[in-house]
Amino acid sequence: MYGLMQPRPLTIAHILERAEALFAHKQVATAGVERLTYADVIAHARRLATVLDSLKVPSGARVATFASNSRRHLEIYLAVPATKRVLHTINIRLSADHLEYIVDHAEDDVVFVDRGLLARIWPSVDRLSRVRHWVVLPDGSDTALPADPRILGYDELIAGAVPFTGSFEDTFALADENLASGLCYTSGTTGPPKGVLYSHRSTVLHCLGTLAAGLIGLAESDVVMPIVPFFHANAWGLPYGALMAGASLVLPGSSAEPAHLSRLMEAERVTVAGAVPTVWTSLVPELRRHDLSAVRFLLGGGSAVPPALSETYRAALGVPITHSWGMTEVSPVGVIGGTRTQHREATALERVAVRAAQGQPLPLVNLRTVDVETGRELPRDGSAVGELQVAGPWVAGGYFRVDADDSFTDDGWLRTGDLATLDGDGYLRLVDRMKDLIKSGGEWISSVELEAVIASHPDVVEVAVIGRPDPRWAERPVAYVVLRDGSAVTAEELVRHITPMVARWWLPDEVVFMATLPRTGTGKLSKSALRDSVRST
């Protein structure tokens, strides 16, 4: 027997029209230089809908963006999926080879690009023959534009367009909610990038997950600042979540300078912000220079947040950086950290340990850990380490135009490549990436745990630990460390600092001091670059 509910599909069109009907007065501020209302932004999105029609962009076509976090990018976030096209956000830090591969593999029909970024992509234009139009977004730069008929101006197109006046939702009334809405490619660190193809259903459910009380809990009263780039896995769901909740949005534009970000947070009274740990680290010197008392929730993701960094924020603002875990394949948020009611009687040290865990899964997300060799599901005892696998309605079940059966189990769970534990409360604690574990003398060393204890030294800004080939032990750990300006800490002092915290055979054979650590295109530390440098020496 089936229920008798209306079969209305879950679509991004609903997010757009809900914001338009209920929260038209709410504001979108960009980089401290522009302020529009939701009504303005959605009016532009309605004009963009007819622009896409006039450019003869087919339904289901991939429409790419190569842009920073701005209100124009937000308009594209809305109009493209609401008109049954597929939004393809491209990492602006990609190498030329990966960029060309992704645009060609996705078969992008139109690319929207910030004016200041066009020069980065234009040398590849002759190898991207499927792209019919390049639409340039004003970003405050005065970069000269090539004389090419394929180049169009965003503002000129919007100004000359007649807005779509119908209901986007009604166009979906009889449509399948599993229509593709977005496309995002993985980083490609272990092979060619793979495309994760989101659906309207998965995006709306993920959006509702960001509203879940007690987790991120986006609300109408919030002022949300996605520092995480729009191209990084849906900006962790923050743009759509803010629109759904009716929260105001603050978008940083193209600058990631700590002073710029902190000034914006102060001026706009930001309550919720999300960024990778390297950004939160860069903002530490700004904490005493700005009034950030409006902040209630800071989200960290992309890589593990060092407990010492989180506690620095808790001491300065009363708000720790909350751990999360996710992947491009998980839309991306699957787990949110923080303490719960059962921790009210815990000691201060015990609560620090809880906050250092990745946390509990969002509603509708299921986690399990399995023995790497046997595939047997492991007990949730907080100590059994196995591969983390995840399932849920916003978790990928395959990749776009790529066979990757080894990424999924026979019963449909995603293999994450993370080693982790789960405890009796369902808390996830990552041990390491399977590829980042160091096997020394037949025993495993967790690079993540070793990094955390090194980062507990007050003079350490960043650290990455990798395994270096060793003729006797197979591998030995090497720590690459960035110190605070003016620090005179030596390698010997760092090793003495961590000696009481880890087994002696975990102690790094070498500490290498660096001015900066290499990063991936999404701002994560690039251990593969460090490994390459070791192999080349």
Side-chain angles (χ1 to χ4, degrees):
M1 178 181 292
Y2 291 98
L4 298 175
M5 297 292 102
Q6 295 180 11
R8 299 284 293 185
L10 305 178
T11 71
I12 293 169
H14 176 76
I15 298 175
L16 182 156
E17 294 189 342
R18 172 181 167 83
E20 182 180 46
L22 303 183
F23 310 117
H25 62 288
K26 285 304 188 75
Q27 295 191 336
V28 179
T30 300
V33 298
E34 182 185 66
R35 190 179 306 277
L36 277 74
T37 65
Y38 275 5
D40 297 327
V41 168
I42 293 171
H44 292 158
R46 287 186 171 278
R47 289 177 178 270
L48 181 54
T50 60
V51 167
L52 294 171
D53 290 340
S54 69
L55 295 178
K56 296 181 170 51
V57 181
S59 177
R62 270 69 68 201
V63 175
T65 61
F66 195 73
S68 58
N69 295 13
S70 70
R71 64 90 178 164
R72 292 177 178 86
H73 203 167
L74 181 65
E75 291 161 8
I76 301 165
Y77 250 66
L78 294 170
V80 169
T83 57
K84 300 183 183 178
R85 283 104 177 177
V86 181
L87 175 69
H88 174 204
T89 53
I90 302 175
N91 187 334
I92 64 175
R93 304 184 187 113
L94 287 176
S95 67
D97 287 346
H98 274 174
L99 176 63
E100 292 170 15
Y101 172 84
I102 285 172
V103 174
D104 184 66
H105 187 266
E107 297 184 357
D108 291 325
D109 187 54
V110 180
V111 177
F112 289 79
V113 53
D114 280 351
R115 181 168 184 149
L117 294 174
L118 183 62
R120 192 176 301 175
I121 197 171
W122 197 251
S124 300
V125 70
D126 291 338
R127 292 181 290 280
L128 303 174
S129 58
R130 287 192 177 95
V131 179
R132 296 187 301 116
H133 302 289
W134 298 83
V135 182
V136 177
L137 310 177
D139 61 358
S141 67
D142 56 0
T143 305
L145 300 179
D148 192 295
R150 291 169 293 181
I151 294 179
L152 305 169
Y154 181 87
D155 282 1
E156 292 77 9
L157 289 172
I158 295 298
V162 175
F164 173 74
T165 57
S167 167
F168 288 111
E169 259 200 286
D170 284 351
T171 67
F172 278 92
L174 300 177
D176 186 350
E177 63 187 8
N178 290 301
L179 286 174
S181 65
L183 177 64
C184 188
Y185 280 73
T186 61
S187 59
T189 55
T190 57
K194 297 190 287 291
V196 180
L197 192 61
Y198 308 110
S199 68
H200 281 266
R201 177 178 184 268
S202 72
T203 301
V204 171
L205 290 173
H206 180 270
C207 180
L208 291 172
T210 67
L211 272 60
L215 298 170
I216 300 177
L218 296 182
E220 184 271 340
S221 58
D222 278 320
V223 179
V224 180
M225 183 168 164
I227 302 173
V228 54
F230 272 22
F231 62 72
H232 190 182
N234 303 317
W236 302 352
L238 294 175
Y240 289 137
L243 285 155
M244 177 76 90
S248 292
L249 272 166
V250 178
L251 307 176
S254 58
S255 174
E257 289 299 314
H260 168 70
L261 297 176
S262 54
R263 280 196 300 266
L264 269 182
M265 292 177 71
E266 177 181 38
E268 301 294 342
R269 305 296 291 165
V270 167
T271 64
V272 176
V276 296
T278 50
V279 170
W280 292 131
T281 298
S282 74
L283 284 173
V284 168
E286 304 292 331
L287 296 182
R288 292 187 178 88
R289 300 171 188 165
H290 298 276
D291 176 9
L292 304 182
S293 58
V295 170
R296 71 161 185 85
F297 190 89
L298 297 175
L299 185 63
S303 57
V305 177
L309 177 62
S310 179
E311 292 304 304
T312 295
Y313 274 79
R314 189 173 70 86
L317 305 180
V319 177
I321 300 172
T322 298
H323 253 140
S324 68
W325 172 86
M327 306 170 66
T328 303
E329 292 90 335
V330 189
S331 297
V333 183
V335 170
I336 295 292
T339 58
R340 308 289 185 253
T341 56
Q342 66 265 37
H343 305 118
R344 287 174 180 168
E345 303 304 319
T347 66
L349 195 59
E350 288 169 339
R351 287 195 295 273
V352 169
V354 172
R355 287 192 291 267
Q358 277 58 50
Q360 293 177 313
L362 270 63
L364 307 181
V365 174
N366 294 318
L367 306 176
R368 70 185 184 190
T369 55
V370 302
D371 185 278
V372 174
E373 295 182 356
T374 67
R376 176 179 58 87
E377 185 169 354
L378 297 173
R380 298 181 174 224
D381 58 8
S383 60
V385 176
E387 183 191 24
L388 176 65
Q389 298 179 354
V390 59
W394 60 75
V395 178
Y399 292 102
F400 183 54
R401 294 177 172 168
V402 170
D403 283 332
D405 292 342
D406 58 343
S407 296
F408 302 91
T409 66
D410 291 341
D411 56 350
W413 290 61
L414 173 70
R415 292 188 171 107
T416 69
D418 285 324
L419 288 172
T421 67
L422 290 169
D423 68 16
D425 289 328
Y427 271 77
L428 169 69
R429 188 180 299 275
L430 293 184
V431 173
D432 215 335
R433 293 287 293 168
M434 291 174 68
K435 63 184 180 182
D436 290 339
L437 276 176
I438 301 165
K439 195 162 192 178
S440 182
E443 300 290 344
W444 291 109
I445 298 172
S446 166
S447 67
V448 169
E449 292 185 30
L450 189 49
E451 287 161 357
V453 296
I454 295 172
S456 69
H457 191 286
D459 280 4
V460 172
V461 174
E462 288 186 299
V463 56
V465 173
I466 66 167
R468 182 172 62 190
D470 184 271
R472 180 179 180 186
W473 303 107
E475 286 185 310
R476 289 296 300 152
V478 176
Y480 293 82
V481 175
V482 177
L483 295 176
R484 300 195 186 282
D485 290 343
S487 172
V489 169
T490 66
E492 292 75 16
E493 288 170 333
L494 274 183
V495 171
R496 280 200 301 272
H497 171 74
I498 68 171
T499 295
M501 307 181 202
V502 297
R504 291 194 65 83
W505 52 274
W506 277 42
L507 297 175
D509 276 14
E510 185 180 4
V511 176
V512 180
F513 294 111
M514 303 180 72
T516 60
L517 296 177
R519 307 195 185 290
T520 68
T522 55
K524 302 178 188 178
L525 298 178
S526 176
K527 291 190 177 182
S528 60
L530 292 173
R531 291 190 193 96
D532 290 344
S533 69
V534 167
R535 284 193 290 266
S536 65
T537 57

